[in-house]
Amino acid sequence: PRLSGMRGDEVQRWLEEHEGLWTYAILDDDSDFYDWQPLFKTKFHVGGLTDEIAQNVIDYFKGGQDAKAS
């Protein structure tokens, strides 16, 4: 949904409407998310998703990487 305010609110609303999702990652070049949301910050100036960020997301889902390290 499009809400006014933080994009983190939009993600939270979507998650609330889609129960049963346990693990997720946010890939975005913006920073208006909550500290507790697993954000992997992409880099707009280099084309978005890099190999390093992709590997960090994979590691996160395997349980070995904190999202804030990206």
Side-chain angles (χ1 to χ4, degrees):
R2 290 299 262 169
L3 305 173
S4 60
M6 293 180 53
R7 294 174 95 173
D9 289 333
E10 295 174 1
V11 170
Q12 184 59 33
R13 171 74 69 79
W14 190 92
L15 290 169
E16 290 168 357
E17 293 174 358
H18 296 84
E19 294 180 25
L21 185 63
W22 294 94
T23 305
Y24 67 97
I26 301 167
L27 288 80
D28 202 298
D29 65 350
D30 210 340
S31 296
D32 57 343
F33 295 90
Y34 293 103
D35 288 339
W36 51 266
Q37 291 177 311
L39 173 63
F40 292 86
K41 193 150 171 37
T42 57
K43 299 172 181 170
F44 178 77
H45 64 280
V46 296
L49 184 62
T50 64
D51 289 339
E52 178 184 7
I53 295 168
Q55 187 60 55
N56 287 343
V57 173
I58 291 167
D59 292 344
Y60 169 75
F61 281 114
K62 289 181 177 179
Q65 176 73 33
D66 179 33
K68 297 303 177 191
S70 293

